[in-house]
Structures are given as C-alpha cells and as structure tokens.
Amino acid sequence: QVQVVESGGGLVQPGGSLRLSCAASGSIFSINAMGWYRQAPGKERELVAAINSGGSTNYADSVKGRFTISRDNAKNTVYLQMNSLKPEDTAVYYCNLRVRVTIATLPEAYWGQGTQVTVSS
C-alpha cells in the first residue's frame, strides 16, 4: 500500500507565497514522475507543474516564473513553491506520483487528497 499526504494549502493575499508538500510512504521501490494539478470550481483539472526522475521540469504557461517544483527523493516528497500568487490561482491542488512498488511492476498513478489554495484580499 502507498499513502500520499499533501500539506501546505491555505488563504493568502494576492502577491503572497505558499509552499505545498506531498509525501509518499509505504511500499515504494521508486517514484518516477511527480506532478501538481489543480482544479478550480467549474473547471477541469489541469497540470500545473511536473518533474521527472532526472529532475527535468515543465510548467503550465500561466505559472511559469512564479511557481517552482522540486523533489526530495530520499523523503519521497515533492514540493511546489508558489510565489506572486494571483486570485486566478485559487483552486484545489492535487499531487500525482507515478510509483513503482517493486522492481517488477510498472509505475502506477497515486493522487493526494487535495489541498485548498485561496488567493484573496
């Protein structure tokens, strides 16, 4: 079993910063790609940022230059540093991890429970 727990959301004023964390535990052989998604009310879930096992990253155009994704492989954790937050960043943020539980298995996707980020004055 793999458990994925997110933390770090909250209410912040426009221009402020938040740092999200997503930690995996349990039966883990390795974690390939790690990513953050978000879903605003009435909208589809969208990819915000992703990082692969080699450290290469990609970002949605709307967050480039403001958000930074990073990972700590020793802790099976992915982070999302969000700076210069805007009201349009308001959404529930979900992490997604591609986890291999054994050397013989293919990666499977695991989702965090979601954390609310609200940007408002």
Side-chain angles (χ1 to χ4, degrees):
Q1 291 285 359
V2 176
Q3 295 79 42
V4 180
V5 178
E6 299 179 29
S7 60
L11 172 64
V12 64
Q13 292 187 342
S17 297
L18 283 174
R19 188 191 196 208
L20 306 183
S21 299
C22 171
S25 61
S27 179
I28 297 170
F29 172 75
S30 66
I31 302 179
N32 294 8
M34 298 174 144
W36 288 95
Y37 291 72
R38 67 186 180 188
Q39 187 166 20
K43 295 188 176 182
E44 293 186 355
R45 191 173 296 188
E46 63 174 355
L47 176 66
V48 176
I51 184 168
N52 66 16
S53 57
S56 296
T57 59
N58 66 281
Y59 297 91
D61 288 343
S62 59
V63 307
K64 282 181 181 176
R66 300 187 298 122
F67 290 11
T68 302
I69 189 171
S70 61
R71 62 190 287 168
D72 184 333
N73 293 326
K75 297 180 179 179
N76 290 329
T77 299
V78 61
Y79 305 97
L80 186 68
Q81 178 67 44
M82 304 184 293
N83 299 328
S84 303
L85 282 161
K86 305 175 180 180
E88 51 264 42
D89 295 318
T90 296
V92 178
Y93 284 69
Y94 300 89
C95 64
N96 177 273
L97 309 179
R98 301 285 292 179
V99 180
R100 296 179 70 182
V101 296
T102 72
I103 194 171
T105 57
L106 295 174
E108 295 182 44
Y110 289 85
W111 289 93
Q113 80 279 13
T115 185
Q116 177 70 47
V117 171
T118 302
V119 184
S120 175
S121 55

Coordinates of all heavy atoms in Angstrom, one line a residue, residues 12-20 35-39 46-51 57-70 79-94 117-119:
V12 N -4.2 33.1 1.3 CA -3.1 34.1 1.1 C -3.6 35.3 0.3 O -4.5 35.1 -0.5 CB -1.9 33.4 0.5 CG1 -2.2 33.0 -0.9 CG2 -0.6 34.3 0.6
Q13 N -3.0 36.4 0.6 CA -3.3 37.6 -0.2 C -2.6 37.6 -1.5 O -1.6 37.0 -1.7 CB -2.9 38.9 0.6 CG -3.7 39.1 1.9 CD -3.4 40.4 2.5 OE1 -2.3 41.0 2.2 NE2 -4.3 40.9 3.4
P14 N -3.2 38.3 -2.5 CA -2.5 38.4 -3.8 C -1.1 39.0 -3.6 O -0.9 39.9 -2.8 CB -3.4 39.4 -4.6 CG -4.8 39.3 -4.0 CD -4.5 39.0 -2.5
G15 N -0.2 38.3 -4.4 CA 1.2 38.7 -4.3 C 2.0 37.9 -3.2 O 3.2 37.9 -3.2
G16 N 1.2 37.1 -2.4 CA 1.9 36.3 -1.4 C 2.4 35.0 -1.9 O 2.4 34.7 -3.1
S17 N 2.9 34.2 -1.0 CA 3.5 32.9 -1.3 C 3.0 31.8 -0.4 O 2.6 32.0 0.7 CB 5.1 33.0 -1.1 OG 5.6 33.9 -1.9
L18 N 3.0 30.6 -1.0 CA 2.7 29.4 -0.3 C 3.6 28.3 -0.8 O 4.1 28.3 -1.9 CB 1.3 28.9 -0.5 CG 0.1 29.6 0.3 CD1 -1.2 29.1 -0.2 CD2 0.3 29.5 1.8
R19 N 3.9 27.3 0.1 CA 4.6 26.1 -0.3 C 3.8 24.9 0.0 O 3.5 24.6 1.2 CB 6.0 26.0 0.4 CG 6.9 25.0 -0.1 CD 8.1 24.8 0.9 NE 9.2 24.0 0.3 CZ 10.0 23.3 1.0 NH1 9.9 23.2 2.3 NH2 11.0 22.6 0.4
L20 N 3.6 24.1 -1.0 CA 2.8 22.8 -0.9 C 3.8 21.7 -0.8 O 4.9 21.7 -1.5 CB 1.9 22.6 -2.1 CG 0.9 23.7 -2.4 CD1 0.0 23.2 -3.5 CD2 0.1 24.1 -1.2
G35 N 4.0 15.3 -10.0 CA 3.4 16.5 -10.6 C 2.3 17.1 -9.7 O 1.9 16.4 -8.7
W36 N 2.0 18.3 -10.0 CA 1.0 19.0 -9.3 C -0.1 19.4 -10.3 O 0.2 19.9 -11.4 CB 1.5 20.3 -8.6 CG 2.3 20.0 -7.4 CD1 3.7 19.9 -7.3 CD2 1.8 19.8 -6.1 NE1 4.1 19.6 -6.0 CE2 3.0 19.5 -5.2 CE3 0.6 19.7 -5.5 CZ2 2.9 19.3 -3.9 CZ3 0.5 19.5 -4.1 CH2 1.6 19.2 -3.3
Y37 N -1.3 19.2 -9.9 CA -2.5 19.6 -10.7 C -3.4 20.5 -9.9 O -3.2 20.5 -8.7 CB -3.3 18.3 -11.1 CG -2.7 17.4 -12.1 CD1 -1.6 16.6 -11.8 CD2 -3.1 17.4 -13.5 CE1 -1.0 15.8 -12.7 CE2 -2.5 16.5 -14.4 CZ -1.4 15.7 -14.0 OH -0.8 14.9 -14.9
R38 N -4.3 21.2 -10.5 CA -5.2 22.0 -9.8 C -6.6 22.0 -10.5 O -6.7 21.8 -11.7 CB -4.7 23.4 -9.6 CG -4.7 24.2 -10.9 CD -4.0 25.6 -10.6 NE -3.9 26.4 -11.8 CZ -3.3 27.6 -11.8 NH1 -2.7 28.1 -10.7 NH2 -3.3 28.3 -12.9
Q39 N -7.6 22.2 -9.7 CA -9.0 22.2 -10.2 C -9.7 23.3 -9.5 O -9.9 23.3 -8.3 CB -9.7 20.9 -10.0 CG -11.0 20.8 -10.7 CD -11.5 19.4 -10.8 OE1 -11.1 18.5 -10.1 NE2 -12.5 19.1 -11.7
E46 N -6.2 20.6 -14.3 CA -5.2 20.9 -15.2 C -3.8 20.7 -14.6 O -3.6 20.9 -13.3 CB -5.3 22.4 -15.7 CG -5.1 23.4 -14.5 CD -5.1 24.9 -15.0 OE1 -5.1 25.1 -16.3 OE2 -5.0 25.8 -14.2
L47 N -2.8 20.4 -15.4 CA -1.5 20.2 -14.9 C -0.8 21.6 -14.6 O -0.9 22.5 -15.5 CB -0.6 19.5 -16.0 CG 0.9 19.3 -15.7 CD1 1.1 18.4 -14.5 CD2 1.6 18.8 -16.9
V48 N -0.2 21.7 -13.5 CA 0.4 22.9 -13.1 C 1.9 22.8 -13.3 O 2.6 23.7 -13.9 CB 0.2 23.3 -11.6 CG1 0.9 24.5 -11.2 CG2 -1.3 23.5 -11.4
A49 N 2.5 21.7 -12.8 CA 4.0 21.5 -12.9 C 4.3 20.1 -12.8 O 3.6 19.3 -12.1 CB 4.7 22.4 -11.9
A50 N 5.4 19.6 -13.4 CA 5.8 18.2 -13.3 C 7.3 18.2 -13.2 O 8.0 19.1 -13.8 CB 5.3 17.4 -14.4
I51 N 7.8 17.1 -12.6 CA 9.3 16.9 -12.5 C 9.5 15.4 -12.7 O 8.8 14.6 -12.1 CB 9.8 17.4 -11.2 CG1 11.4 17.3 -11.2 CG2 9.2 16.8 -10.0 CD1 12.0 18.1 -10.0
T57 N 11.9 19.6 -15.5 CA 10.7 20.2 -15.1 C 9.9 20.7 -16.3 O 10.5 21.1 -17.3 CB 10.8 21.3 -14.0 OG1 11.7 22.3 -14.6 CG2 11.5 20.7 -12.8
N58 N 8.6 20.8 -16.1 CA 7.8 21.6 -17.1 C 6.7 22.2 -16.3 O 6.2 21.7 -15.3 CB 7.3 20.7 -18.2 CG 6.3 19.7 -17.8 OD1 6.7 18.6 -17.3 ND2 5.0 19.9 -18.1
Y59 N 6.2 23.4 -16.8 CA 5.2 24.2 -16.2 C 4.1 24.6 -17.1 O 4.4 24.8 -18.3 CB 5.9 25.5 -15.6 CG 6.9 25.2 -14.5 CD1 8.2 25.0 -14.8 CD2 6.5 25.1 -13.2 CE1 9.2 24.8 -13.9 CE2 7.5 24.9 -12.2 CZ 8.8 24.7 -12.6 OH 9.8 24.5 -11.6
A60 N 2.9 24.8 -16.6 CA 1.9 25.5 -17.3 C 2.3 26.9 -17.6 O 3.0 27.6 -16.8 CB 0.6 25.5 -16.6
D61 N 1.9 27.5 -18.8 CA 2.3 28.8 -19.1 C 1.9 29.8 -18.1 O 2.5 30.8 -17.8 CB 1.7 29.2 -20.5 CG 2.4 28.5 -21.6 OD1 3.5 28.0 -21.4 OD2 1.8 28.4 -22.7
S62 N 0.7 29.6 -17.5 CA 0.1 30.5 -16.5 C 0.9 30.6 -15.2 O 0.7 31.6 -14.5 CB -1.3 30.1 -16.2 OG -1.3 28.8 -15.6
V63 N 1.8 29.7 -14.9 CA 2.6 29.7 -13.7 C 4.1 29.9 -13.9 O 4.8 30.0 -12.9 CB 2.3 28.5 -12.8 CG1 0.8 28.3 -12.6 CG2 2.9 27.3 -13.4
K64 N 4.5 29.9 -15.1 CA 6.0 30.0 -15.4 C 6.5 31.3 -14.8 O 6.0 32.3 -14.9 CB 6.2 30.0 -16.9 CG 6.2 28.6 -17.5 CD 6.4 28.6 -19.0 CE 6.3 27.2 -19.6 NZ 6.5 27.3 -21.1
G65 N 7.7 31.1 -14.1 CA 8.3 32.3 -13.5 C 7.8 32.6 -12.1 O 8.4 33.4 -11.4
R66 N 6.7 32.0 -11.7 CA 6.1 32.2 -10.4 C 6.2 31.0 -9.5 O 6.3 31.1 -8.3 CB 4.7 32.7 -10.5 CG 4.5 34.0 -11.3 CD 3.1 34.5 -11.2 NE 2.1 33.5 -11.8 CZ 1.1 33.0 -11.1 NH1 0.9 33.4 -9.9 NH2 0.2 32.2 -11.7
F67 N 6.0 29.8 -10.1 CA 6.0 28.5 -9.3 C 7.2 27.7 -9.6 O 7.8 27.8 -10.7 CB 4.8 27.7 -9.7 CG 3.4 28.2 -9.3 CD1 3.3 29.5 -8.8 CD2 2.3 27.4 -9.4 CE1 2.0 30.0 -8.4 CE2 1.0 27.9 -9.1 CZ 0.9 29.2 -8.6
T68 N 7.7 27.0 -8.6 CA 8.8 26.1 -8.8 C 8.5 24.8 -8.1 O 8.1 24.7 -7.0 CB 10.1 26.7 -8.1 OG1 10.4 28.0 -8.6 CG2 11.3 25.8 -8.3
I69 N 8.7 23.7 -8.9 CA 8.5 22.4 -8.4 C 9.9 21.8 -8.1 O 10.9 22.0 -8.9 CB 7.7 21.5 -9.5 CG1 7.4 20.1 -8.8 CG2 8.5 21.3 -10.8 CD1 6.4 19.3 -9.7
S70 N 10.0 21.0 -7.1 CA 11.2 20.3 -6.7 C 10.9 19.0 -6.0 O 9.7 18.8 -5.6 CB 12.0 21.2 -5.8 OG 11.4 21.5 -4.6
Y79 N 7.6 19.1 -3.8 CA 7.2 20.4 -3.3 C 6.7 21.3 -4.5 O 7.1 21.1 -5.6 CB 8.3 21.1 -2.6 CG 9.0 20.3 -1.5 CD1 10.1 19.5 -1.7 CD2 8.4 20.3 -0.2 CE1 10.7 18.8 -0.7 CE2 9.0 19.6 0.8 CZ 10.1 18.8 0.5 OH 10.7 18.0 1.5
L80 N 5.9 22.3 -4.1 CA 5.5 23.3 -5.1 C 5.6 24.7 -4.4 O 4.8 25.0 -3.5 CB 4.1 23.1 -5.6 CG 3.7 24.1 -6.8 CD1 4.5 23.8 -8.0 CD2 2.2 24.0 -7.1
Q81 N 6.6 25.4 -4.7 CA 6.8 26.8 -4.2 C 6.0 27.7 -5.1 O 6.3 27.8 -6.3 CB 8.2 27.2 -4.1 CG 8.5 28.6 -3.6 CD 8.1 28.8 -2.2 OE1 8.4 27.9 -1.3 NE2 7.4 29.9 -1.9
M82 N 5.0 28.4 -4.5 CA 4.2 29.3 -5.3 C 4.4 30.8 -4.8 O 4.1 31.1 -3.6 CB 2.7 28.9 -5.1 CG 2.4 27.5 -5.5 SD 0.7 27.1 -5.4 CE 0.4 27.2 -3.6
N83 N 4.9 31.6 -5.7 CA 5.2 33.0 -5.4 C 4.3 33.9 -6.3 O 3.7 33.4 -7.3 CB 6.6 33.3 -5.6 CG 7.6 32.5 -4.7 OD1 7.2 32.2 -3.6 ND2 8.8 32.3 -5.3
S84 N 4.2 35.1 -5.9 CA 3.4 36.1 -6.6 C 2.0 35.5 -7.0 O 1.5 35.6 -8.1 CB 4.1 36.5 -7.9 OG 5.4 37.0 -7.6
L85 N 1.3 35.0 -6.0 CA 0.1 34.4 -6.2 C -1.0 35.4 -6.7 O -1.0 36.5 -6.2 CB -0.4 33.6 -5.0 CG 0.3 32.3 -4.7 CD1 0.2 31.9 -3.3 CD2 -0.3 31.2 -5.7
K86 N -1.9 34.9 -7.5 CA -3.0 35.7 -8.1 C -4.3 35.1 -7.7 O -4.4 33.8 -7.5 CB -2.8 35.8 -9.6 CG -1.5 36.2 -10.1 CD -1.4 36.2 -11.6 CE -0.1 36.6 -12.2 NZ 0.0 36.5 -13.7
P87 N -5.4 35.8 -7.7 CA -6.7 35.2 -7.4 C -7.0 34.1 -8.4 O -7.7 33.1 -7.9 CB -7.6 36.4 -7.6 CG -6.8 37.6 -7.3 CD -5.4 37.3 -7.8
E88 N -6.6 34.1 -9.6 CA -6.9 33.0 -10.5 C -6.1 31.8 -10.2 O -6.4 30.7 -10.8 CB -6.6 33.5 -12.0 CG -5.3 34.1 -12.2 CD -5.3 35.6 -12.2 OE1 -6.0 36.2 -11.3 OE2 -4.6 36.2 -13.0
D89 N -5.2 31.8 -9.3 CA -4.5 30.6 -8.8 C -5.4 29.8 -7.8 O -5.0 28.7 -7.4 CB -3.2 30.9 -8.2 CG -2.2 31.5 -9.2 OD1 -2.1 30.9 -10.3 OD2 -1.5 32.4 -8.8
T90 N -6.5 30.4 -7.4 CA -7.4 29.7 -6.4 C -7.9 28.4 -7.0 O -8.5 28.4 -8.1 CB -8.5 30.7 -6.0 OG1 -8.0 31.8 -5.3 CG2 -9.5 30.0 -5.1
A91 N -7.7 27.4 -6.2 CA -8.1 26.0 -6.7 C -7.8 25.0 -5.6 O -7.1 25.3 -4.6 CB -7.4 25.7 -8.0
V92 N -8.3 23.8 -5.8 CA -7.8 22.7 -5.0 C -6.6 22.1 -5.8 O -6.7 21.8 -7.0 CB -8.9 21.6 -4.8 CG1 -8.3 20.4 -4.0 CG2 -10.1 22.2 -4.1
Y93 N -5.5 21.9 -5.1 CA -4.2 21.4 -5.7 C -4.0 20.0 -5.3 O -4.2 19.6 -4.1 CB -3.1 22.3 -5.2 CG -3.0 23.6 -5.9 CD1 -3.9 24.6 -5.7 CD2 -2.0 23.9 -6.9 CE1 -3.9 25.8 -6.3 CE2 -2.0 25.1 -7.5 CZ -2.9 26.1 -7.3 OH -2.9 27.3 -7.9
Y94 N -3.7 19.1 -6.3 CA -3.5 17.7 -6.1 C -2.1 17.3 -6.6 O -1.7 17.8 -7.6 CB -4.5 16.9 -6.9 CG -6.0 17.1 -6.6 CD1 -6.7 18.1 -7.2 CD2 -6.6 16.4 -5.6 CE1 -8.0 18.4 -6.9 CE2 -8.0 16.6 -5.3 CZ -8.7 17.6 -6.0 OH -10.0 17.8 -5.7
V117 N -6.1 26.0 -2.0 CA -5.4 27.3 -2.0 C -6.3 28.4 -2.4 O -7.0 28.3 -3.5 CB -4.2 27.2 -3.0 CG1 -3.5 28.6 -3.2 CG2 -3.2 26.2 -2.6
T118 N -6.4 29.4 -1.6 CA -7.3 30.5 -1.9 C -6.5 31.8 -1.8 O -5.8 32.1 -0.8 CB -8.5 30.6 -0.8 OG1 -9.2 29.4 -0.8 CG2 -9.4 31.8 -1.2
V119 N -6.6 32.5 -2.9 CA -5.8 33.8 -3.0 C -6.9 34.9 -3.1 O -7.6 35.1 -4.1 CB -4.9 33.8 -4.3 CG1 -4.1 35.1 -4.3 CG2 -4.1 32.6 -4.3

